[in-house]
Amino acid sequence: MKFPEYTRNALDVISANKFRAFLTTLGILIGTANLIMVVSLIDSTEKQIKDRFGRFGTRLIYLGIHKEVFGEDELSMIKKIEGVSCVCPSIWYLTIFKVGRKDKHIEIIGSSPETMYVENIEIEKGRFIIDSDVYNKRRVCIIERKLANKLFKGLSPIGEEMKIENIHFQIVGVTESKGFMKWWEDILYIPYTTLMEFSGQSYINHCGILVEEDEDLEACVQRIKRWFIKKYKEEDFHIETWEEMIREVKEGTNIINLIGLIISGLSLLIGGIGIMNVMLVSVRERTREIGIRKAVGATNRDIVIQFLIESITLSLVGGIVGTIIGIIGALIFSPLLDLPRSISISAIFVGFLVPSLVGLFFGVWPARQASRLDPICALRYE
Amino acid sequence: MIVLENVSKYYKMGEGLIRALDGISLRINEGNFLAIMGPSGSGKSTLMNIIGCLDRPTSGVYLFEGEDITKKKERELAFLRNKKVGFVFQTFNLLPRFSCLKNVELPLFYAGYSKDEMRKKAYKALEAVYLSHRIDHKPSELSGGEMQRVAIARALVNDPKIICADEPTGNLDTKTGEEIMNIFYSLNNNGVTIILVTHEKKLISFAKRRIFLVDGRIVD
Ligand SMILES: Nc1ncnc2c1ncn2[C@@H]1O[C@H](COP(=O)(O)OP(=O)(O)O)[C@@H](O)[C@H]1O
Ligand SMILES: [Mg+2]
């Protein structure tokens, strides 16, 4: 095979002119680094959606009720609709909570035992809300690890008390921090019945509905919609499936991705033109070499392949450095955007494939120029 | 082995036409040692390049081992240059970045030999020109005579039928030139056809046959 030799040769040529190679591949480097970050961001977002919606994801319907008309009775009526496996109310209540001397906003989520499955919550210590908590309106709470660490500095918070709006809650469990969105940072789960009593709110405004396993999701959504339309006005409620939720979350990152892709594309374009330029210079500088190679038996195809491998290698050098920088960048930026760190094989694959294609595309013309040189003129060239 | 019939090569220069070769007819038998002589610009290099399949005639017929070269594709000409012809140039034409060994390996690379075979054959060729102690040197570390010997090793490494040498001693002093001519002489004794372009009268004593070119025509 001639490829290893061509590649070695290409690396020789590149290392003979390191500074030029560096300048040439800067665009490729920036473009690839950027691209890797965008791909990682997309991966992270997807991973996060999976984490968020867990194994029930595809069977989940989210229900929002905008009017103060939905309570326990309605809840049990929905539960009777055909195909509904479980209904999980949640009430969100924003309040202020003192950490040391500082006031902090805290989101209290009035939950039911099923919330744990619907929201894919993982318990690290203790337990989640149980049926008897809901039934007895117990003043128990489950807090997130981040908040627990802040409050108890590594000591076990289980059994400790927290005072919220002058009411004492006993901590019975700690959950993993999900950090789904910034404003979700400090979350406290308490039984929804407790929250209704404590806040004086008599209605439910969020509900997760889990559809039975062998049930047609769309048909079930239609049945629920019909039930609501019969009872309320169209604008009073809002039903969303898992797929629609994912679309929304993705739309949130789409702008960042688009900007990233445009920057990548421009950098790669500039980088590609730079490579083409340097390869054209290289062909001119090495006219004699081309003549010599042809004189000893190189075909036009041999010359094309040689110069294509050179431009691809040149581009890949920038691409590999860019990939490394992109990965480091993604590792740094993901937590800043509240996304999980995720470096996928696809990102690395892209980091190799895209610069190769750029090198190939922008190398075609110089390589053809090289191959078309007349051997005699090339040998005479000074 | 080589038959040229009424071969011409013209170059367009603005309005005019340069007749670099003007109706050359020539037969060269296997094992011959032909010296092509003539003043500068008389078409010697052009003729040699056509014989070596590096160039095509504008008109006429050129048969190489019975095959019509004028009808061959670029790929086929490259194949012939690789397998049947070896070139030696006045300016050596070695690749400066490559070691002597790699320079000599180059034709074998395009012939598709394995790494080991390339090494072995290139080493043997360098041995034949008494340079086996220089294999890892770059051309810039060699004297002119040594560089030309590397070029000869490259020309003969693929066991060609003919070696085309275009003023191979033109850049060398007399003594070194004679050494180089001796190498050609012994190659010819081993059955390789040699075509030598030169305008040094002293060197043609080696040749079995000589032709003179003037203005693209054979005289005498
Ligand atoms: N590529 C070319 N374009 C135009 N004219 C050329 C070209 N190559 C050779 N010639 C002309 O053809 C003639 C023969 O050249 P050449 O064969 O190199 O002569 P020699 O080797 O005998 O000095 C010269 O007049 C030269 O200028
Ligand atoms: Mg000449």
Side-chain angles (χ1 to χ4, degrees), chain B residues 24-44:
Chain B
I24 301 275
S25 293
L26 182 67
R27 269 163 200 276
I28 307 168
N29 297 324
E30 202 160 346
N32 211 328
F33 193 136
L34 173 73
I36 303 174
M37 307 190 58
S40 183
S42 59
K44 306 184 294 294

Side-chain angles (χ1 to χ4, degrees), chain B residues 156-193:
Chain B
L156 60 84
V157 71
N158 228 351
D159 304 316
K161 284 271 161 60
I162 60 171
I163 286 183
C164 295
D166 193 348
E167 306 198 32
T169 58
N171 279 358
L172 303 174
D173 60 65
T174 317
K175 194 172 152 283
T176 320
E178 267 165 26
E179 281 169 27
I180 295 297
M181 289 312 298
N182 274 319
I183 294 173
F184 285 126
Y185 183 68
S186 63
L187 282 174
N188 183 239
N189 280 343
N190 290 333
V192 184
T193 310

